[in-house]
Amino acid sequence: MKKMIQFVSVFCLSLSLVGCATKESVKEIILYTDINSISWLDYGENYTSLESDRLDAFNKRLNTLGVNAKLVIKSYLPAVGYQQKGELVQNILEQDSDADMIFFNSAYVNDLEPLDSYLESDHGQELTSQFSNTWLQNLKINGHTYMIPKNVYPLTKQCAIISNTTWEKYPDLQNQTSAFSVLQYMESHYEPTENQVLFLYMSLSNLLADQYQAITNDEDSPLYLRKSDYTVVNIYEEEPVLNLLRLINSIHQKGLTGKGMNVADFQSLSSMPDGGQALQFGNNFSFAPQEDLFQTLYFGQEMYASAGGLSILKDSDAKEEAFEILWAMNTDKKAAEILQYGSDPDRNEDGKIIDNQHTYFGSWNMLGNDMITESSQGQPENKKEYFKSMEEKSDVNREHMTPLLFDTSSFNDKLDTFLSIIDKNQYVNMNVDGIYMADQAFDAQQFENYLQTVRSRLKEAGIEKVQAELQKQVDTWLKEQEK
């Protein structure tokens, strides 16, 4: 009997130890990213863990916060996700079934876990309090939240950034009131100096930002939302956009976009203080614009910016732990600072962190909430309150909001087809490879033929059906706003 009691005691002790071990075991949460996405991680092989002292320090901070998980980052080469984006998640899961998180893309929204129930928890409400509520609402897809966005100043404005030398040489620039009028003026007047072109980059979505909103992240996509009447359009059927494209083609024909430029020439221009360009367009703000080099013209009203961020996979078996990591990196000052700056960042003589790569809105460094970290040089103090007050004072048209994200997962193959049809017009986008290719310059009649071909082929490829499917999402969103 005594032996039986001893056995039962040992058995119970064993169970308690197993229970403790289980409770204290740390769950690895695996985040997958394009190998080029995070600047402080070394290059690695596909589907292998990447090493970083910063990541180790962050995981120690998680332990201090009581989060029973550690963040593991693995990468895939850009080529894995470049084509057929809708298949990216499944391609990753075939190689690594333990994947938990990924950077958001609407192409694979069906593979992502809706986060609404998680956001209702105490930690969830603390997390969402870091963001603008209006912005968060506009980032929902079909009424659901699928990502935790990078915490940034959410308002953006269309602008032209002009080098000081160009500003001084062409004083009438400051009288222009739109991106189109700036381009018209420069097309008529601009004469490049040595080692300078009008612009090296051209983003059509930036040029159209006051009237149209891009549906996808692919700069060549023909699908936009017309803001004036909430209509999904094919921009190759929109006369104002066609006139803009004709103007860009004329500028390109004159060689002002670097037509025929080789890689060495491009790199030489890019290394110049002003980038070797007289003019660039954008729709964002930087913490510390180089006012000694550039002048900025702003057009139209401010608008809420689309965002990138982190999502949890439906197939993850550790969704709660993954969400706890998202909570920690967005609400804890120390955790956010480790991810943004490292454990021991460089400082200037005033003790300010040396960091010139932050923007209010941009793709650089999605990890960590920059609004709650210590201010670096060029940043305002009390950043979160500072930008919150900016939003409250903003002229953003709150009566004319638009849905910022769409579910494109059911027609990704169609989107790929549309992009292939438009391929020859690549000098309009942000793809460097399409900028210095001289054979992509058309004369006026060739360009009209090209535009007509694009219109016909897009229609044959079924763009009207895709427009109708997207329009349903817009109409559903509008009904939700009326409630």
Side-chain angles (χ1 to χ4, degrees):
M1 185 68 176
K2 185 176 181 180
K3 288 184 178 180
M4 179 63 71
I5 293 173
Q6 288 176 335
F7 171 77
V8 172
S9 299
V10 171
F11 180 71
C12 290
L13 178 61
S14 298
L15 280 179
S16 68
L17 289 174
V18 170
C20 289
T22 302
K23 184 178 180 180
E24 293 175 359
S25 62
V26 176
K27 179 69 177 178
E28 287 190 348
I29 300 301
I30 300 174
L31 165 67
Y32 267 94
T33 176
D34 179 321
I35 202 167
N36 296 320
S37 293
I38 304 179
S39 60
W40 44 263
L41 285 171
D42 292 331
Y43 287 94
E45 297 181 4
N46 265 352
Y47 313 112
T48 58
S49 300
L50 303 180
E51 302 297 327
S52 168
D53 292 341
R54 191 181 300 197
L55 193 55
D56 292 340
F58 173 73
N59 284 325
K60 289 180 181 177
R61 182 61 183 173
L62 288 180
N63 182 262
T64 301
L65 294 172
V67 177
N68 197 39
K70 64 177 293 188
L71 180 63
V72 175
I73 298 181
K74 296 185 179 182
S75 64
Y76 58 84
L77 294 176
V80 175
Y82 182 69
Q83 296 296 332
Q84 300 177 314
K85 296 179 183 65
E87 298 177 10
L88 173 61
V89 171
Q90 293 308 313
N91 290 341
I92 289 174
L93 290 173
E94 287 176 6
Q95 299 290 330
D96 185 355
S97 60
D98 292 328
D100 297 292
M101 292 200 296
I102 194 168
F103 285 76
F104 171 84
N105 191 302
S106 61
Y108 43 73
V109 67
N110 285 341
D111 295 312
L112 305 177
E113 178 73 8
L115 301 178
D116 309 88
S117 61
Y118 295 95
L119 294 174
E120 293 172 358
S121 67
D122 289 343
H123 279 177
Q125 291 180 42
E126 185 182 355
L127 194 159
T128 55
S129 70
Q130 305 296 319
F131 303 90
S132 160
N133 185 61
T134 305
W135 189 48
L136 285 178
Q137 292 300 315
N138 289 9
L139 291 174
K140 288 186 175 182
I141 299 177
N142 296 327
H144 297 291
T145 300
Y146 288 94
M147 73 169 176
I148 302 301
K150 176 184 177 183
N151 198 316
V152 294
Y153 175 51
L155 297 180
T156 183
K157 198 169 187 176
Q158 185 188 36
C159 62
I161 303 167
I162 302 163
S163 69
N164 272 350
T165 53
T166 304
W167 185 267
E168 293 167 1
K169 187 174 180 180
Y170 305 99
D172 283 346
L173 271 174
Q174 56 194 288
N175 299 320
Q176 308 308 313
T177 57
S178 70
F180 186 80
S181 66
V182 168
L183 282 177
Q184 276 187 314
Y185 176 80
M186 294 301 279
E187 195 262 349
S188 300
H189 295 80
Y190 181 67
E191 296 178 3
T193 59
E194 185 179 1
N195 295 325
Q196 191 175 43
V197 296
L198 180 57
F199 47 69
L200 294 173
Y201 300 104
M202 176 56 64
S203 172
L204 193 59
S205 62
N206 286 339
L207 288 170
L208 297 174
D210 59 336
Q211 299 178 57
Y212 298 88
Q213 176 188 307
I215 296 289
T216 75
N217 292 328
D218 293 293
E219 192 60 48
D220 286 334
S221 173
L223 292 164
Y224 279 70
L225 178 63
R226 190 168 58 210
K227 294 181 177 182
S228 61
D229 58 2
Y230 298 98
T231 300
V232 177
V233 300
N234 165 12
I235 56 172
Y236 286 86
E237 300 285 353
E238 296 283 295
E239 197 62 29
V241 180
L242 293 177
N243 287 335
L244 173 61
L245 292 174
R246 290 172 180 129
L247 177 59
I248 294 172
N249 184 69
S250 174
I251 290 171
H252 190 56
Q253 260 289 313
K254 293 181 178 180
L256 302 183
T257 58
K259 181 182 70 172
M261 189 184 300
N262 59 39
V263 176
D265 291 340
F266 173 81
Q267 291 176 338
S268 175
L269 284 178
S270 298
S271 64
M272 295 175 65
D274 61 358
Q277 60 198 36
L279 174 69
Q280 58 183 303
F281 290 91
N283 61 340
N284 62 1
F285 301 85
S286 66
F287 276 121
Q290 294 175 289
E291 296 176 355
D292 55 329
L293 295 176
F294 301 103
Q295 298 285 340
T296 304
L297 282 174
Y298 292 105
F299 310 118
Q301 291 182 305
E302 286 182 306
M303 63 201 88
Y304 279 95
S306 293
L310 294 177
S311 299
I312 299 174
L313 299 178
K314 274 185 179 178
D315 283 5
S316 168
D317 62 358
K319 298 183 183 69
E320 292 185 5
E321 291 88 346
F323 188 79
E324 288 296 292
I325 287 181
L326 293 177
W327 162 78
M329 69 171 60
N330 281 284
T331 62
D332 182 70
K333 182 176 183 291
K334 182 65 175 177
E337 285 184 345
I338 290 170
L339 291 172
Q340 288 287 314
Y341 305 122
S343 300
D344 187 25
D346 293 332
R347 296 178 181 274
N348 62 18
E349 57 186 14
D350 297 325
K352 285 278 191 178
I353 293 174
I354 299 174
D355 186 286
N356 296 315
Q357 301 186 73
H358 281 77
T359 57
Y360 294 167
F361 179 76
S363 60
W364 185 83
N365 201 341
M366 286 289 188
L367 304 183
N369 179 354
D370 189 41
M371 291 294 107
I372 62 175
T373 62
E374 179 183 347
S375 293
S376 65
Q377 58 180 4
Q379 293 182 340
E381 298 294 344
N382 303 314
K383 290 176 284 190
K384 184 179 175 183
E385 293 304 315
Y386 176 79
F387 295 123
K388 183 179 179 181
S389 67
M390 285 181 68
E391 184 177 2
E392 292 172 349
K393 298 173 184 176
S394 167
D395 66 351
V396 63
N397 189 345
R398 299 177 191 280
E399 295 179 355
H400 195 79
M401 300 297 180
T402 56
L404 295 171
L405 299 175
F406 298 84
D407 179 0
T408 64
S409 58
S410 63
F411 41 82
N412 285 318
D413 57 336
K414 291 287 188 182
L415 298 180
D416 287 339
T417 299
F418 301 158
L419 293 177
S420 67
I421 290 171
I422 298 170
D423 184 63
K424 285 188 177 181
N425 200 24
Q426 283 189 353
Y427 62 81
V428 178
N429 75 5
M430 298 292 284
N431 182 352
V432 173
D433 293 336
I435 289 172
Y436 43 74
M437 295 175 66
D439 61 350
Q440 292 186 1
F442 299 86
D443 63 31
Q445 186 55 53
Q446 284 177 319
F447 193 62
E448 291 304 316
N449 295 340
Y450 163 75
L451 293 175
Q452 181 57 45
T453 299
V454 167
R455 284 194 292 271
S456 298
R457 291 185 178 174
L458 287 175
K459 191 170 184 177
E460 292 170 2
I463 193 170
E464 291 175 344
K465 183 177 179 180
V466 175
Q467 285 176 249
E469 292 181 25
L470 286 166
Q471 189 65 52
K472 289 178 183 178
Q473 294 185 42
V474 176
D475 293 343
T476 299
W477 185 88
L478 287 170
K479 289 179 181 178
E480 288 295 320
Q481 306 312 300
E482 294 171 359
K483 292 181 180 179

